[in-house]
Amino acid sequence: MRRSLFAALLVGTVFGVGAPAAAAEVGQYIPLPTYRVGAYASSGELWWAGERDYFRYINEVEGGIDGIKLKVEEFETEWSPDRTVEVYERVKAGKDGSPLAFFFTHGTPASYALLDKAAADRIPLIDPAGGRTESVDGSVFPYAFPLLFSYYSQASTGINYIASKVGGLDKLKGLKIATVYHDSAYGRASQPAVDALAKRYGFENIQIPVADPGSEQSPQWRQVREVKPDWIFLRTWGVSTVVALKTAQRFGFPANRIIGDVWAGSESDVIPAGAAAIGYSALAPYPGGSDFEIHKRLKAAILDTGKSDLRDPKLFGAVNYNVGLVNAALAVEALRTGYRHFGARPLTGEEGRWAFEHLTIEPARLKQIGFDGLLQPIAITPTDHEGGGAARIQSWDGSRWVLQTDWIKADHALLKPLIEAGAKAYAREKGIVPRAAESAEAAAQ
Amino acid sequence: MSLFLETLIGGVLAGTLYALVAIGFVLIYKASGVFNYAQGSLLLFGALTFVSLKETGVPIAAALAVTAGLLIVTAVAIERFLLRPLTNRGPLTLFMATLGLSYLVEGVAQGLMGSRVRALDLGIEDLPLFLGDIMISRFDLVAAGVAVVLVVALALLFHRTRIGIQLRGVADDTRAALSLGIDIHRIWQIVWAVAGLVGLVAGLLWGARQGVQFSLSLVVLKALPVLIIGGFTSIAGAIVGGIVVGAGESLAETYVGPFLGGGITSWFAYGLALAFLLVRPAGLLGERPIERV
């Protein structure tokens, strides 16, 4: 009797008290495919600084998430999708006792490349403001999370902003709105939404492609001069944004009539354009600036103590740094949601999916974590993997981004049928049976 | 008609910027038979060094002199530590060596100077100039002028100086040049240094246009069709090739693009180069290889 009692106590100690201690010791493994060198390093360097600084803040100031430390490991990919796939294969089984709860793809091409693979492995792919737009529909894409702001939402928010400038949606009728876009899957991704919006509101939809890399755009802006649009929606990125702004100036198109999308709205896009970028506005699901509460906390705990990953402190609060902060915060809040449900231990991929599908960040919580104004309220569900769909508008004044608006929401009622149609077509092509919301709930209970 | 002329002139001027990049390749290929894959990286290295110095408050002339000096030292080091040990190796080996060199140069450049995008203001505003109804880019006009001055300077170097004559001798027949006592290693150092300086000029002009950043090294992609069309061994060919590519892609984008969904400039130049390869493999002004069989 005594021996069995001792055995029971021992078992209780190991699995009762010891298990959480062991879980805290193991930590949650978070691999980061990054690009600190190569053609895209100028944005990557800041992005990873933001992500790593926030994870470091959570570990060192808050003691981890509910006691679970985050074990971050970087892999250099030079933004190459094949290398990101290789990273995924290396990390999908987890590390040092921690399973993989989710995988940041850090790029739309990699999200496309891993879509089927991750679904088969039951590992959520996280790609805020990127990824395949149809994968917003979680019933067909249970393991893809294009959080925050899909490409369709970008188009709709941009049009809503133009409407607010011209006096309302009814005033869009008869306007000419030209989209100058990088001629790639990324650049074309918003076209179905702009088509639908043009039909609904009666504006003329003009699409002007720019071939990669976009370092010479005179023919495109000559076309702009010929068609005389009222507004330009600029869906370029990298060099093609800088050259677009400079060429627009040369052809006499005013910068304050150009609205850039998320990936055409960082300091890297406007500083090299000089005076040509003054007055240019961009959609900002990741607003620039270092006046947010989280920046004060990070400055005190991470930057001023010399623990920051940021190489140049002048870039603290740059748009790409804030991209990293916001994405890291989304991951942290999702893990917290998962730990509260499954217990404080490293989560599996399936549990990670549940955690993201139940991620809700309300305004009060945003204030608590210091992201008020920097991150929009989020409510992700098993069928809606975007969860936000809004952006603020910021304008470049020649030295910094100035926020012009509060969060402007996309027209989800108009976009939902488009997304569902795209998801259904994908399901037909791949032989996927869409899951019902209830079964999604049940699957991870 | 004015649209056609404006498109044509704009394309010709843009083409001179492509030609500037291509000239760096021609110089090295002509003198040593090496296709220098690292030319783009050297172009980036030069522009990044210049703009980094300028940011620290160094006057423009001093920054230019220091950058030029650094490129000359780099050229000597490349010849001494990379090319000389590979003397008499095949062209593929040398090409692979320059491939490795490009990664090294890019890594060192980013490691020392960081990867953030820098603005480069050369004091040339990209504002329009009007000739009647025809609009011309002031920046492109200045760039074309710089290209012309550069080509004249290179022509004088090759035809009016002792070094130039030695260089042409090495290019024509390396063995004969060696037998006449020409120091081939010194000639290679000079050629790489001149190619680096040409790359610096191209890097500054492209950097002013699109910002100085890592992707600047990718402008060499524009030089490849220029080289195929103009010929790998002719500086004049690089200029002609650049003009053909610039004007061709500009006209094609304006007049053919709308029928093909637009955005055709990325492949148009390569399609044109492919056609030249089929009809005139040595390019418009390149030397046709004659082999005894």
Side-chain angles (χ1 to χ4, degrees), chain A residues 19-177:
Chain A
E25 187 70 24
V26 167
Q28 181 78 55
Y29 179 50
I30 302 180
L32 297 178
T34 59
Y35 40 97
R36 289 180 188 271
V37 295
Y40 310 103
S42 58
S43 59
E45 195 177 37
L46 296 171
W47 188 329
W48 322 130
E51 264 181 18
R52 296 210 67 152
D53 279 3
Y54 191 69
F55 287 139
R56 193 169 285 124
Y57 172 83
I58 292 293
N59 278 342
E60 297 194 5
V61 177
E62 299 194 356
I65 308 167
D66 291 351
I68 305 291
K69 292 279 180 83
L70 305 172
K71 300 283 175 76
V72 178
E73 185 176 21
E74 263 192 61
F75 298 85
E76 176 59 49
T77 66
E78 292 192 39
W79 202 74
S80 157
D82 53 329
R83 291 194 203 174
T84 307
V85 171
E86 189 191 331
V87 172
Y88 170 83
E89 290 295 341
R90 282 169 64 183
V91 303
K92 70 181 182 184
K95 191 173 181 186
D96 296 336
S98 168
L100 188 63
F102 64 88
F103 184 74
F104 270 129
T105 61
H106 289 154
T108 298
S111 292
Y112 270 74
L114 285 167
L115 199 59
D116 295 337
K117 207 180 271 284
D121 295 333
R122 294 171 176 261
I123 292 171
L125 298 177
I126 311 302
D127 189 6
R132 191 180 179 120
T133 300
E134 295 90 340
S135 66
V136 163
D137 186 345
S139 64
V140 175
F141 300 91
Y143 296 94
F145 290 83
L147 306 172
L148 278 184
F149 204 40
S150 74
Y151 291 118
Y152 287 3
S153 292
Q154 293 184 33
S156 177
T157 303
I159 297 299
N160 283 347
Y161 175 66
I162 292 172
S164 75
K165 297 298 277 186
V166 297
L169 288 163
D170 57 316
K171 300 286 191 304
L172 291 172
K173 194 172 175 64
L175 289 186
K176 288 181 182 177
I177 300 178

Side-chain angles (χ1 to χ4, degrees), chain B residues 36-82:
Chain B
N36 178 23
Y37 188 87
Q39 185 64 23
S41 311
L42 290 168
L43 180 152
L44 167 72
F45 181 61
L48 203 54
T49 305
F50 174 81
V51 82
S52 299
L53 288 168
K54 200 165 161 276
E55 273 182 352
T56 57
V58 177
I60 287 183
L64 208 54
V66 172
T67 308
L70 196 59
L71 284 168
I72 291 167
V73 171
T74 306
V76 172
I78 289 170
E79 190 283 322
R80 183 68 190 84
F81 300 110
L82 186 77

